[in-house]
Amino acid sequence: MADISLIGRSLGVTTAELEKGRLRFFAKSIGETDPVYTDETAARAAGHKSLPMPPTFLFCLEREGRDTDHIVEGIMGFDLGRILHAEQSFTYHRMAFAGDVLTFDSRIVDVYDKKDGALQFVVSETRVTNQMGEHIADVRSSVVQR
């Protein structure tokens, strides 16, 4: 069972490089048809320095390099068989492009319950910066245990 004492706890810092092949694959897998996400020439013609990162790709990268089972079971105290991904939101501050190295600094920002404790929620926020320390985005995520 999650406890409010978790608020403020760091979930660690990870990094990931935005590779062109992965960006293209992700864009195709989500049905993106704008060629700026898959064709370097089209991206440059649109004024980008390289292929731009599709917005929701941050969700994939944020999880890389983390032991999510340990976070859910060991830190949050949740049973993996009883959890659901409840919510995800992104606030963007600038674009990221192929070749950028992103840093993800995550922490727990809220713990609460609903239905007299039948549903327990843990909310985390991740600050995303690039290799130059520029603020790229904030990712907010909620996990619920039923």
Side-chain angles (χ1 to χ4, degrees), residues 40-75:
E40 183 86 22
T41 303
R44 290 188 189 278
H48 301 302
K49 67 179 184 176
S50 188
L51 297 176
M53 177 188 68
T56 56
F57 190 60
L58 281 178
F59 180 72
C60 299
L61 293 177
E62 181 200 15
R63 299 287 179 229
E64 284 187 11
R66 296 188 193 283
D67 183 348
T68 53
D69 289 355
H70 171 71
I71 290 171
V72 170
E73 292 180 316
I75 296 175

Side-chain angles (χ1 to χ4, degrees), residues 13-19 22 53 57-58 60-65 96-104 128-131:
V13 177
T14 61
T15 61
E17 181 177 349
L18 295 179
E19 300 166 344
R22 288 186 71 192
M53 177 188 68
F57 190 60
L58 281 178
C60 299
L61 293 177
E62 181 200 15
R63 299 287 179 229
E64 284 187 11
F97 300 94
D100 284 348
V101 177
L102 302 182
T103 299
F104 299 81
V128 183
T129 56
N130 66 15
Q131 68 277 8

Side-chain angles (χ1 to χ4, degrees), residues 6-9 11 75-76 107-111 122-124:
L6 291 174
I7 296 173
R9 180 165 180 169
L11 297 176
I75 296 175
M76 295 178 184
R107 66 188 60 257
I108 295 173
V109 296
D110 199 7
V111 175
V122 174
V123 182
S124 63

